[in-house]
DNA sequence: TAGGCGTGGAG
DNA sequence: TCTCCAAGCCT
């Protein structure tokens, strides 16, 4: 199934001509600036173009150069990232911007091997930047490309296993155009995104239908092979929004857990869905004290929030403290006024609740 | 190395 | 309501 030299030339010619006619005009394709290409690649990791595009516009506007990004506070970067998910991408991106400024005089390394050393850049992203910005002939194999390669070339090894990845990589190195690797990589990705789509691809109009393994064997639904075992954990979260005047008590999530670096409220996790605060175990003496001093109001709506590997059932209470009370907050918490709360990076769930409660 | 890490859209 | 998944990476 792996094409010979002549087939590779024919494959590349067809692929490139398809790309030139069909590709979407996306802003990061209009530049050779490695900084902007890097931004776009990090934003687009596990993210659809439609979702990432507005973030790319905002980031390039707010931080036109790597120096601007390096000079920003991490909190500010996370706030701009809010809603995109996988927040470690933003933290790593900020870290790497500072490294590029401090260790590389603001210039990105120009080979995939060196790019790979930077935090937040894996095999795919390093190859993408190296080929798009510096025309290095390395295959950039993302989910789209795995799918295209598995189907056309009939590669049946598990794309999520290390062995499988090696095989795709080896074939990719054979097939990539040495004359124009940048366009080859863009074209493979775009072909997967527009033509060779995951479900129900329209193969009758495909330029490769005469030489596609999956089409010949009607295995579009079976390829690529992905063996994944995902266990979804159920969690029950109980949030107390401590409010005094217009100020809310929030704290930064620092543990190795979801939403690291983002801000939320006083949280009590329970093993079962809770109905009343009385049924919760409240070990925190400071918070027990607060409960006595404040007025507790339940937000009746039960929120469910779905992450890749967790299903959250979340209940919220307002805990309003009279302005006259002088109080201590649980450890690590601080009060933020309305404007500050708006400016803090928050999980989308927290932002949604504050909007529905007409606070934001 | 396998499991953790968000959010939103589509079927 | 459920499943899949979308330009993956880190530990």
């Amino acid at each position: 199934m792996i094409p010979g030299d002549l087939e590779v030339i024919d494959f590349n010619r067809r692929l490139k001509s398809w790309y030139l006619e069909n590709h979407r005009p996306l802003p990061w394709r209009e530049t050779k600036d490695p900084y902007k290409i890097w931004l776009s690649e990090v934003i687009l990791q596990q993210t659809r173009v439609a979702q990432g595009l507005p973030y790319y516009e905002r980031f390039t506007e707010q931080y036109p150069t790597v120096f601007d990004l390096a000079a920003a506070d991490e909190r500010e970067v996370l706030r701009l990232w809010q809603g995109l998910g996988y927040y470690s991408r933003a933290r790593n991106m900020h870290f790497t911007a500072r490294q590029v400024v401090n260790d590389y005089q603001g210039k990105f390394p120009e080979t995939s091997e060196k790019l790979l050393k930077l935090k937040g850049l894996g095999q795919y992203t390093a190859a993408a930047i190296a080929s798009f910005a510096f025309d290095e002939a390395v295959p950039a194999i993302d989910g789209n490309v795995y799918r295209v390669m598995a189907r056309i070339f009939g590669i049946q090894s598990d794309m999520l296993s290390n062995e499988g990845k090696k095989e795709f990589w080896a074939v990719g190195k054979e097939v990539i155009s040495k004359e124009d690797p940048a366009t080859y990589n863009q074209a493979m990705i775009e072909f997967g995104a527009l033509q060779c789509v995951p479900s129900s691809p329209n193969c009758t109009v495909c330029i490769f239908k005469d030489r596609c393994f999956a089409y010949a064997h009607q295995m579009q639904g079976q390829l690529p092979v992905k063996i994944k075992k995902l266990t979804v954990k159920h969690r029950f979260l109980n949030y107390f929004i401590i409010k005094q005047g217009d100020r809310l008590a929030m704290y930064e999530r620092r543990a190795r857990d979801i939403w690291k670096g983002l801000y939320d409220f006083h949280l009590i996790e329970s093993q079962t869905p809770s109905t009343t605060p009385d049924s919760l175990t409240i070990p925190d003496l400071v918070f027990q004290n607060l409960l006595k001093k404040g007025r507790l109001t339940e937000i009746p709506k039960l929120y469910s929030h779905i992450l890749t590997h967790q299903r959250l059932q979340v209940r919220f209470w307002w805990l309003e403290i009279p302005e006259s009370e002088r109080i201590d907050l649980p450890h690590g918490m601080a009060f933020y006024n309305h404007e500050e709360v708006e400016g803090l990076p928050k999980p989308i769930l927290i932002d949604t609740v504050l909007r529905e409660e007409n606070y934001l």
Side-chain angles (χ1 to χ4, degrees):
Chain A
M1 279 309 128
I2 315 308
D5 290 353
L6 286 178
E7 286 176 284
V8 164
I9 293 170
D10 174 62
F11 178 83
N12 270 292
R13 186 176 338 172
R14 283 202 241 174
L15 178 67
K16 185 165 178 173
S17 94
W18 176 90
Y19 178 74
L20 294 178
E21 283 182 30
N22 294 286
H23 75 87
R24 296 162 291 179
L26 297 169
W28 47 85
R29 290 181 174 152
E30 315 290 320
T31 179
K32 280 276 185 185
D33 180 353
Y35 167 69
K36 289 186 176 169
I37 291 169
W38 168 65
L39 269 186
S40 75
E41 290 302 335
V42 176
I43 286 172
L44 290 172
Q45 284 167 8
Q46 297 287 281
T47 304
R48 292 169 203 276
V49 167
Q51 191 187 0
L53 185 53
Y55 286 85
Y56 175 82
E57 306 282 11
R58 274 176 243 151
F59 269 87
T60 50
E61 161 109 30
Q62 188 92 13
Y63 311 117
T65 72
V66 69
F67 297 98
D68 301 307
L69 180 55
D73 288 333
E74 182 184 279
R75 186 191 287 185
E76 183 190 314
V77 175
L78 278 170
R79 181 62 181 85
L80 203 57
W81 195 271
Q82 180 176 303
L84 246 196
Y86 285 143
Y87 296 94
S88 66
R89 289 184 292 169
R91 287 186 276 110
N92 290 337
M93 194 174 81
H94 182 241
F95 179 92
T96 292
R98 293 192 162 175
Q99 191 179 10
V100 167
V101 165
N102 294 330
D103 301 351
Y104 299 86
Q105 295 78 48
K107 291 168 68 78
F108 277 81
E110 302 194 357
T111 67
S112 59
E113 195 183 336
K114 290 178 185 167
L115 285 162
L116 194 51
K117 298 188 197 301
L118 301 177
K119 199 177 269 194
L121 280 76
Q123 194 99 75
Y124 163 75
T125 305
I129 297 171
S131 75
F132 298 156
F134 306 116
D135 296 296
E136 184 178 332
V138 280
I141 306 179
D142 74 333
N144 291 302
V145 182
Y146 278 116
R147 187 170 57 252
V148 172
M149 293 178 69
R151 286 177 177 168
I152 294 182
F153 303 135
I155 303 174
Q156 308 200 35
S157 54
D158 175 15
M159 61 170 266
L160 297 182
S161 74
N162 277 335
E163 285 198 16
K165 284 176 187 167
K166 278 181 197 164
E167 183 178 351
F168 279 90
W169 178 263
V171 176
K173 268 185 13 188
E174 296 298 318
V175 176
I176 187 171
S177 163
K178 311 297 186 296
E179 287 73 40
D180 190 356
T183 304
Y184 166 87
N185 280 330
Q186 287 285 8
M188 286 291 275
I189 293 165
E190 192 73 339
F191 190 78
L194 299 184
Q195 170 63 39
C196 196
V197 294
S199 72
S200 311
N202 182 5
C203 299
T204 59
V205 300
C206 178
I207 56 169
F208 293 124
K209 67 177 176 185
D210 63 314
R211 55 109 60 251
C212 176
F213 176 94
Y215 184 61
H217 297 81
Q218 286 301 298
M219 289 180 65
Q220 298 95 320
Q222 279 72 54
L223 295 175
V225 176
K226 290 175 151 179
I227 302 170
K228 60 172 189 300
K229 37 273 171 186
L230 182 69
T231 59
V232 178
K233 185 162 58 171
H234 290 251
R235 294 174 72 176
F236 306 99
L237 309 185
N238 310 280
Y239 274 118
F240 294 84
I241 314 175
I242 302 166
K243 182 170 192 260
Q244 189 172 39
D246 80 324
R247 301 182 306 157
L248 304 186
M250 304 190 76
Y251 88 121
E252 181 189 351
R253 297 178 61 86
R254 296 171 180 278
R256 291 151 82 94
D257 195 359
I258 57 174
W259 301 327
K260 185 177 176 191
L262 277 56
Y263 287 73
D264 65 358
F265 308 118
H266 191 257
L267 171 62
I268 298 176
E269 188 162 359
S270 51
Q271 298 306 311
T272 56
S274 74
T275 49
T276 66
D278 306 331
S279 63
L280 296 172
T281 312
I282 298 175
D284 189 327
L285 291 178
V286 178
F287 183 64
Q288 282 186 22
N289 237 334
L290 278 181
L291 280 173
K292 291 175 197 153
K293 292 182 176 172
R295 188 167 59 89
L296 200 59
T297 316
E298 180 187 63
I299 297 176
K301 180 171 170 184
L302 190 57
Y303 288 83
S304 99
H305 192 76
I306 308 205
L307 296 76
T308 306
H309 47 288
Q310 295 187 22
R311 299 183 69 101
L312 310 180
Q313 267 181 253
V314 192
R315 192 177 286 289
F316 291 87
W317 285 268
W318 285 103
L319 179 56
E320 289 193 68
I321 313 288
E323 297 255 41
S324 52
E325 294 280 358
R326 296 197 42 184
I327 53 156
D328 291 323
L329 286 173
H331 182 67
M333 297 199 92
F335 271 124
Y336 298 90
N337 68 29
H338 182 275
E339 188 182 349
E340 290 167 331
V341 170
E342 210 289 328
L344 290 177
K346 302 169 286 296
I348 213 69
L349 169 69
I350 300 295
D351 195 83
T352 298
V353 170
L354 288 179
R355 286 178 195 289
E356 292 186 0
E357 290 295 303
N358 296 315
Y359 180 84
L360 286 179

